[in-house]
Amino acid sequence: MSISIAIMAAGFGTRMKSKLPKVLHKISGYEMLYYIIKESKKISDDITVILYHRSDLIIKEMNKYFDDINYIIQDVKNFPGTGGAIREVNPKHKKLLVLNGDMPLLEAKDMLLFTQEKADIVMSSFTCKDPSGYGRVIMDDKNRVEKIVEDKDATSEQKKIHDVNAGVYLFNVSFLKNNLKKISNNNKQKEYYITDLVKIANEQNITVKAIKIDEEVFMGVNSKYHLAIAEEFMQKRIKKRFMEDGVIMRLPATIYIESMVEITGESILESGVSLLGNTKIIDSHIKTNCVVEDSIVENSDIGPVARIRPNSIIKKSHIGNFVEIKKSNLNGVKAGHLSYLGDSEIDEGTNIGCGTITCNYDGKAKYKTIIGKNVFVGSDTQLVAPVKVEDDVIIASGTTVTKDIPKGSLAINREPLKIINNFFYKFFGKKYE
Ligand code: UD1
Ligand code: CA
């Protein structure tokens, strides 16, 4: 079935108390508006997003992902409100599904629930514990939806109703064309409410079908508190999918995984792990409290408490605690403790001793450290980049490497150790004698 979709995102999002437009707030790595457009595209080839507040910024951000979306600017001065939002939409198909831009949890399958109904208007409601902020669904004595009353316009009796309007509607476009202009702004907010179309339809004996849907999926994000709740739902969804695919998670509630992350094979994530951006975890064990961002980890174990920063590729390696890796390529490497490896390439069989640091930055530019196969890097080594260490090298503990080291050699720049007998007693005096 072909339907058009309109996504309303012109509101000021005042309740978010933020400079950033509401629909650009992120949940698990992507903007709320991204999710709803992505899901809409699965069922429609005609998507219009209605904007006003900071429209340039919103279009710029969405252009990073989509190139086939129509954007229109609402005439908010003359027609504020959700009823004003859809005035200028020009649907290609006979049915228009209207969505709120602040519903990041809605999936294509939920949108399709509406298209299964035959009515001029299909609206949706759910029953919730805390209905404040939502429009209340008023039923008539025949148990049909009579009208929707907004929170701000509701009487104290109406406010007690826990059945609320979810904010998703499927309209026959012909009904819309005939009735949109009949909406008035005779309410507390002096806004044009899309919800008034229900009352208008009833007055004309036009069928309004109400479907019951799931609060978890249809929740609207109006505040940063809602944002956090929506994120928890999204996280549960993401983690459930991976666990069903064979990933083990220890205390999953403490793990955070962004939407673009991929995890495959028999991977294990321990508690407190954050996987961010375009991270791929393949057959690996990520131990407690690690952060991996925009990196690939394959056949390796990481942590506990290690940080893998963007553009790292770690294969067949063991990375221990308090190791930070950035923009580095490690293949078959052991770095067990307390190291910083940045802008480096390290090859098979190499052991990075505790406290090793790549000095990759001279205050102006970043330089590379290249370490070959089977290198033993002693503890507390500094590698001053740009520098290259060839295969089969031993670097003595405490060495500052300032030039390239040829294959098969030992690098050591240690001062001979001096021992001065009884110095302690001379220095601190008689009380120790
Ligand atoms: C709306 C519904 C309410 C429903 C709730 C569900 C109306 C009048 N009320 O209330 O019945 O229970 O959603 O979440 O529709 N927008 C515009 N232009 C505007 C105003 C808003 O495009 O002039 C957009 C907003 O950006 C937002 C969406 O419409 O994405 C809903 O607006 P919002 O202010 O969040 O409406 P609610 O008060 O939540
Ligand atoms: Ca809302």
Side-chain angles (χ1 to χ4, degrees):
M1 177 190 173
S2 28
I3 56 167
S4 296
I5 293 182
I7 302 168
M8 300 186 288
F12 288 90
T14 324
R15 289 168 281 180
M16 287 302 274
K17 302 206 167 66
S18 176
K19 287 193 201 81
L20 193 68
K22 173 159 83 173
V23 293
L24 290 187
H25 279 268
K26 286 185 178 175
I27 285 181
S28 302
Y30 282 120
E31 298 81 1
M32 290 200 272
L33 188 58
Y34 163 83
Y35 290 103
I36 198 151
I37 297 179
K38 179 189 69 142
E39 290 299 315
S40 296
K41 276 173 67 87
K42 292 182 184 167
I43 60 163
S44 175
D45 64 349
D46 179 36
I47 297 163
T48 304
V49 179
I50 299 118
L51 299 171
Y52 176 75
H53 176 60
R54 308 210 60 190
S55 56
D56 288 349
L57 178 64
I58 297 173
I59 293 171
K60 188 179 129 221
E61 291 304 316
M62 290 302 114
N63 278 345
K64 290 181 185 162
Y65 311 114
F66 313 107
D67 56 9
D68 50 359
I69 306 300
N70 311 310
Y71 296 97
I72 59 174
I73 308 296
Q74 183 182 344
D75 179 2
V76 168
K77 288 222 169 64
N78 294 310
F79 298 103
T82 47
I86 54 165
R87 267 178 92 94
E88 303 302 326
V89 179
N90 197 5
K92 188 163 113 183
H93 303 295
K94 289 201 175 82
K95 297 256 182 192
L96 178 69
L97 183 69
V98 178
L99 309 171
N100 281 0
D102 61 3
M103 296 182 154
L105 300 168
L106 206 60
E107 292 179 304
K109 65 173 166 43
D110 310 307
M111 300 178 190
L112 287 174
L113 294 175
F114 290 76
T115 62
Q116 287 156 15
E117 305 292 335
K118 283 198 175 59
D120 286 282
I121 303 181
V122 185
M123 52 119 1
S124 51
S125 70
F126 56 82
T127 311
C128 62
K129 264 205 197 109
D130 176 16
S132 56
Y134 283 113
R136 308 298 201 283
V137 179
I138 314 290
M139 310 298 277
D140 66 13
D141 42 19
K142 296 199 184 76
N143 215 24
R144 286 181 309 213
V145 179
E146 186 189 325
K147 58 181 176 180
I148 296 162
V149 178
E150 287 311 299
D151 194 59
K152 289 195 175 112
D153 302 300
T155 62
S156 53
E157 271 310 297
Q158 288 169 332
K159 281 204 169 128
K160 288 182 193 150
I161 296 172
H162 286 244
D163 289 331
V164 301
N165 168 33
V168 176
Y169 325 84
L170 183 69
F171 293 105
N172 266 346
V173 172
S174 56
F175 169 82
L176 271 188
K177 292 233 158 99
N178 294 333
N179 293 287
L180 258 178
K181 303 218 160 99
K182 293 181 188 158
I183 300 175
S184 79
N185 64 346
N186 186 13
N187 53 54
K188 282 256 167 60
Q189 304 189 83
K190 293 275 161 284
E191 283 188 2
Y192 294 80
Y193 294 159
I194 193 174
T195 45
D196 281 0
L197 288 169
V198 171
K199 196 177 65 196
I200 292 170
N202 279 326
E203 284 161 7
Q204 301 170 29
N205 283 324
I206 284 169
T207 43
V208 178
K209 172 89 194 176
I211 58 172
K212 279 268 180 200
I213 42 79
D214 189 359
E215 179 185 0
E216 261 190 37
V217 172
F218 281 79
M219 75 170 285
V221 172
N222 297 320
S223 66
K224 285 175 179 158
Y225 175 59
H226 293 155
L227 190 73
I229 294 174
E231 175 136 278
E232 266 182 50
F233 286 136
M234 185 69 85
Q235 282 296 305
K236 278 192 188 143
R237 208 181 259 179
I238 292 170
K239 287 181 272 193
K240 183 171 176 228
R241 176 166 54 89
F242 286 129
M243 287 188 273
E244 283 174 348
D245 278 353
V247 175
I248 291 175
M249 295 192 197
R250 192 169 295 157
L251 296 181
T254 65
I255 296 173
Y256 174 74
I257 304 174
E258 290 190 338
S259 291
M260 30 316 223
V261 171
E262 290 172 27
I263 313 173
T264 54
E266 294 224 24
S267 292
I268 302 174
L269 307 181
E270 292 186 10
S271 57
V273 164
S274 287
L275 304 179
L276 312 175
N278 286 309
T279 286
K280 287 190 178 62
I281 307 289
I282 306 146
D283 285 310
S284 292
H285 185 165
I286 316 294
K287 296 179 187 168
T288 303
N289 290 341
C290 286
V291 181
V292 184
E293 182 172 3
D294 287 319
S295 291
I296 298 170
V297 179
E298 186 171 353
N299 292 316
S300 298
D301 67 283
I302 311 281
V305 207
R307 180 169 180 214
I308 314 300
R309 291 171 49 201
N311 301 315
S312 297
I313 302 173
I314 296 169
K315 293 187 177 171
K316 292 182 286 172
S317 294
H318 159 71
I319 307 299
N321 48 197
F322 307 109
V323 174
E324 174 181 344
I325 296 175
K326 187 215 80 172
K327 207 176 176 184
S328 289
N329 204 333
L330 274 61
N331 183 19
V333 173
K334 284 184 184 155
H337 346 253
L338 286 163
S339 289
Y340 171 62
L341 305 170
D343 302 296
S344 65
E345 269 172 42
I346 310 177
D347 215 336
E348 266 180 282
T350 288
N351 185 87
I352 304 292
C354 175
T356 297
I357 293 172
T358 54
C359 309
N360 60 329
Y361 184 50
D362 65 0
K364 285 190 194 160
K366 306 271 165 76
Y367 302 95
K368 275 193 97 159
T369 299
I370 297 172
I371 305 176
K373 294 188 171 70
N374 308 320
V375 174
F376 181 87
V377 180
S379 297
D380 190 28
T381 292
Q382 300 98 53
L383 297 137
V384 183
V387 72
K388 186 171 178 194
V389 180
E390 289 184 9
D391 296 348
D392 310 331
V393 160
I394 297 173
I395 302 175
S397 171
T399 301
T400 302
V401 179
T402 50
K403 55 188 175 202
D404 294 353
I405 306 176
K407 187 168 188 272
S409 50
L410 165 74
I412 179 164
N413 63 359
R414 205 173 288 165
E415 280 283 299
L417 179 67
K418 239 184 253 167
I419 295 180
I420 303 170
N421 288 326
N422 292 320
F423 181 87
F424 181 95
Y425 303 108
K426 283 178 206 148
F427 187 75
F428 287 111
K430 282 218 172 297
K431 63 179 173 178
Y432 288 102
E433 278 174 26

